[in-house]
Amino acid sequence: MSAHPIKLGGVHHAAYRCKDAKETVEWYEKVMGMEYTSAFSEDHVPSTGEYDPYMHVFLDAGNNNILAFFELPNQKEMGRDENTPAWVQHLAFRVGSEEELLAAKDHVESLGIDVLGPTHHGIFKSIYFFDPNGHRVELAADIGTDDQYAELKRVAMPMLDEWSETKKAPQHAAWLHEIARQEHGVD
């Protein structure tokens, strides 16, 4: 087998649209502790040359991961894909432990932001809330064991194959949900 011609070094940045660049930067600094690192702003899109003034802001999400936003004042009002449930598209960030997750929840709630969770996913726990642009944000703390992660990797392809054929949830990793149900006392 030959080596793949593309050698990825991670995610350079992920970019989303925002309603107000300054409000977004301030929110991510205050709520998430991110550092605002840089901005690009032009009247013409570099890749296409079309006239469309924009502000493109960049925030450091830790470990050389950058979250970016575009404010596009000449475009239609920002919306979302109404055919996709609000819980599907989200930005998920890792925190170091369950304790950090609970501290983050307290912090976010202290700012008057509604928080859902923690939700137990078997190998991680998460909290969820929305940024001022309507983007769902998730903070997740890994709690799984090496054996659990290895088992998930082992069943990944059989699950994908079964899903592709049936479009019904494969049960290869149903144990994840059992762990969560047991913790919540649900049968």
Side-chain angles (χ1 to χ4, degrees), residues 19 23-24 27-28 130-135:
K19 297 175 184 173
E23 175 189 44
T24 298
W27 190 91
Y28 277 88
F130 288 89
D131 81 359
N133 306 295
H135 299 302

Side-chain angles (χ1 to χ4, degrees), residues 111-183:
L111 299 171
I113 299 168
D114 292 332
V115 177
L116 177 66
T119 299
H120 197 304
H121 298 284
I123 56 167
F124 64 95
K125 291 184 180 181
S126 298
I127 60 172
Y128 304 91
F129 47 95
F130 288 89
D131 81 359
N133 306 295
H135 299 302
R136 192 177 201 210
V137 177
E138 174 182 4
L139 297 180
D142 291 329
I143 59 171
T145 66
D146 290 344
D147 288 344
Q148 289 171 328
Y149 293 120
E151 177 60 12
L152 287 173
K153 186 173 182 177
R154 186 188 72 76
V155 300
M157 191 53 73
M159 288 180 72
L160 185 59
D161 289 342
E162 184 177 327
W163 174 262
S164 293
E165 286 181 27
T166 67
K167 300 299 182 200
K168 294 184 185 333
Q171 298 301 305
H172 299 76
W175 53 270
L176 286 172
H177 307 293
E178 292 303 319
I179 293 170
R181 282 190 199 95
Q182 287 173 5
E183 180 170 299

Side-chain angles (χ1 to χ4, degrees), residues 14-142:
Y16 293 83
R17 187 168 176 196
C18 67
K19 297 175 184 173
D20 182 290
K22 185 171 183 159
E23 175 189 44
T24 298
V25 165
E26 290 171 350
W27 190 91
Y28 277 88
E29 286 179 325
K30 182 178 182 180
V31 176
M32 302 291 287
M34 291 184 185
E35 180 185 358
Y36 173 50
T37 61
S38 58
F40 302 159
S41 184
E42 298 192 40
D43 288 329
H44 293 84
V45 179
S47 59
T48 67
E50 70 185 288
Y51 178 78
D52 196 2
Y54 66 86
M55 172 60 83
H56 191 23
V57 295
F58 296 80
L59 296 131
D60 185 345
N63 292 323
N64 207 27
N65 294 286
I66 302 296
L67 177 62
F69 291 93
F70 281 97
E71 182 179 345
L72 305 168
N74 290 358
Q75 293 293 328
K76 292 180 186 175
E77 186 175 316
M78 191 177 137
R80 57 173 296 281
D81 176 2
E82 294 301 325
N83 294 322
T84 301
W87 58 267
V88 173
Q89 294 174 336
H90 61 278
L91 303 163
F93 300 96
R94 178 178 287 117
V95 296
S97 66
E98 285 185 76
E99 293 76 24
E100 289 181 33
L101 184 68
L102 295 174
K105 179 180 179 174
D106 289 345
H107 167 69
V108 174
E109 288 177 333
S110 78
L111 299 171
I113 299 168
D114 292 332
V115 177
L116 177 66
T119 299
H120 197 304
H121 298 284
I123 56 167
F124 64 95
K125 291 184 180 181
S126 298
I127 60 172
Y128 304 91
F129 47 95
F130 288 89
D131 81 359
N133 306 295
H135 299 302
R136 192 177 201 210
V137 177
E138 174 182 4
L139 297 180
D142 291 329

